Amino acid sequence: MLAWLEVVGRGAVFLVRVLGGLPGAAFRGRELLRQIGRVGAQSMVLILVSGAFVGMVLGLQGYNMLVRFGAEESLGLAVALALVRELGPVVSALLYAGRAGSALAAEIGLMKTTEQLAAMGMMAVDPLRRVIAPRFLAGVLSVPLLAAMFSAVGVLGGQFVGVGLLGVDDGAFWSQMQAGVDFRDDVANGIVKSVVFGVVVTWISLFQGHDAVPTSEGVSRATTRSVVWSSLAVFGLDFVLTSLMFND
Amino acid sequence: MAAEPTRAPPPAAPEPLVAVEGLTFHRGPRPVFDSLDMTMAKGEITAVLGPSGAGKTTLLKLIGGELRPDGGRVLVGGKDVHRLSRSGLYTLRKRMGVLFQAGALFTDLDVYENVAFPLREHTRLSEETIRDVVLLKLEAVGLRNARGLWPRELSGGMARRVALARAIALDPEIVLYDEPLAGQDPISAGVLVTLIRQLNDALGLTSIVVTHDVEEISAIADRMHVLSGGKCIATGAPAEIRASGESSVRQFMQGLPDGPVAFHFPGPPVAEDLLGAAAGAPGGNPAAARA
Ligand SMILES: Nc1ncnc2c1ncn2[C@@H]1O[C@H](COP(=O)(O)OP(=O)(O)OP(=O)(O)O)[C@@H](O)[C@H]1O
Ligand SMILES: [Mg+2]
């Protein structure tokens, strides 16, 4: 328990120091773009393919449910709400943790093991500002974009199954969606979720790498831990955020 | 690799730039340093010799402020390294160049960018000036034409030389070299030794060289300290150290296996370990047992 508190404490100090490096990271445009390219683009294909399949499954399941009440016209609304409120932010954060977060943890852990971070510190360059902060910012900016892509592709997947294969009326699919999805309640809340997930997953991954025991096994453990803790954090926070957002 | 014979011997008590006072440091329960005292004079090359595991790398990490001592202090230019704020420490480190034992090159930057890194971070030099400086530093270590290679494409010795070029990119006042000669062939070792001397004299640097290559470093060092058992067991000019009658110093300088300096990491004797294992204590680890 004490050891656990200590880790949380170190993680908090780490986060504060990284946040202090954010203004500097924001002004290093080229490095930031490079990291967004790596961190975000790395996960993009995975996000697009997964989003399409999840949307198609939602189309099938939603149709089967709605058709019992003769409400299959509402399929577009049901698919969109499920994606924008829940599945978009949550699933894309989980995929990002597995794809980019684990890579970040391993990269930082190896930089520590090979003394690259120490060497940088001895050159009077703070690795938390120079190495970690740009990656953190890149992750935080990427996750909401990935979630948006996931939801957009998912809606198309749902439309493909619902309209294309099961014969739901195309006009009704889109108009019900347009009428039923509220910007503030649904879209904005979904964005808030994915921003929170982006911060937490990127923080956990970078911290695990930075806190790794500097050995091969230590880096491998840190990589695993980054995915495990990120996933648990996403599910836990999703419950907390949902109950705060949608209970009135 | 003889130094110029005309070089004047260092004055008896030169001004110390780095002073280690009563330094105590533990790794786990085992003391690495036990009230260690030594000084490194401004403008000189000080060699710190000692057997493998004596704590040479640890000493450099303590001087650079990477590790904190359990007792005592390290003064650099009169400032206690471990009482500085982070920004104070970084200001001090801008005046220091450090060559890491394993090189520690940035693996996502090529050779050129590795050497350019400190210049880009700490100066506002134009791209042409940076290019000139980088190529000059790489020329000095014989790797100007390797500038396009990636760290993974370098041999161990080459990587160390690139790291040396990076360590001196900003023309620091103090350079800490951790085993600059390890893994170098006789030609590069000779060139590096001369380079360390030339840099020291031309730029008025203070150099601290940690090594166990007694022969090469004797040719250029102004002063040598011999570390053993957590203490500095001998200090003096290379000739004095060579002439020392102290048995542990003689043993180290002449590379004799038997003597007061143990070749073996401390622990129970081999007979006890082997027979003890046969008698039913499989895989007993003396270091763990002590911890
Ligand atoms: N991270 C660490 N954790 C625990 N003990 C360590 C660690 N690093 C070094 N040590 C111990 O500290 C002692 C000094 O190590 P150090 O690396 O300073 O030796 P060295 O003199 O540089 O040796 P070499 O010439 O082989 O490089 C060794 O006995 C080693 O076992
Ligand atoms: Mg060493």
Side-chain angles (χ1 to χ4, degrees), chain A residues 155-181:
Chain A
V155 167
L156 293 180
Q159 189 235 10
F160 170 70
V161 169
V163 177
L165 302 183
L166 301 172
V168 174
D169 180 61
D170 196 30
F173 184 91
W174 292 111
S175 62
Q176 292 248 2
M177 190 191 307
Q178 240 174 358
V181 175

Side-chain angles (χ1 to χ4, degrees), chain A residues 214, chain B residues 25-28 30-33 49-61 67 101 178-179 210-212 227 265-266:
Chain B
F25 184 78
H26 294 258
R27 283 290 196 185
R30 218 157 39 81
V32 179
F33 298 122
L49 304 172
S52 180
K56 303 182 299 296
T57 299
T58 309
L59 178 64
L60 292 189
K61 290 188 170 171
L67 294 174
Q101 189 162 4
D178 196 346
E179 304 282 4
V210 148
T211 182
H212 34 224
L227 270 185
F265 194 80

Side-chain angles (χ1 to χ4, degrees), chain B residues 74-151:
Chain B
V74 177
L75 301 176
V76 176
K79 292 199 181 96
D80 186 337
V81 174
H82 302 97
R83 305 194 116 194
L84 293 171
S85 63
R86 188 187 306 280
S87 65
L89 185 62
Y90 276 6
T91 311
L92 179 67
R93 284 179 178 176
K94 282 186 202 162
R95 298 163 49 198
M96 281 190 196
V98 181
L99 171 64
F100 276 64
Q101 189 162 4
L105 294 178
F106 302 130
T107 45
D108 59 346
L109 300 178
D110 64 10
V111 165
Y112 180 96
E113 284 301 323
N114 260 284
V115 181
F117 181 88
L119 300 164
R120 294 197 195 287
E121 291 297 318
H122 292 309
T123 69
R124 296 178 167 277
L125 297 174
S126 68
E127 205 50 47
E128 295 94 86
T129 319
I130 288 183
R131 185 184 147 85
D132 291 347
V133 175
V134 170
L135 293 187
L136 280 175
K137 301 293 176 185
L138 282 173
E139 172 77 13
V141 297
L143 291 175
R144 184 170 42 81
N145 291 321
R147 62 178 176 270
L149 297 184
W150 290 87

Side-chain angles (χ1 to χ4, degrees), chain A residues 94-151:
Chain A
L94 292 176
L95 292 172
Y96 167 81
R99 182 70 179 84
S102 60
L104 284 176
E107 183 190 20
I108 301 298
L110 271 175
M111 288 182 85
K112 181 182 183 185
T113 306
T114 53
E115 294 200 294
Q116 295 181 51
L117 298 183
M120 194 175 279
M122 288 306 304
M123 283 183 245
V125 177
D126 186 350
L128 260 50
R129 287 168 185 256
R130 179 64 177 75
V131 176
I132 310 274
R135 285 165 174 74
F136 180 78
L137 191 54
V140 170
L141 293 176
S142 300
V143 174
L145 293 178
L146 293 172
M149 287 182 206
F150 186 95
S151 296

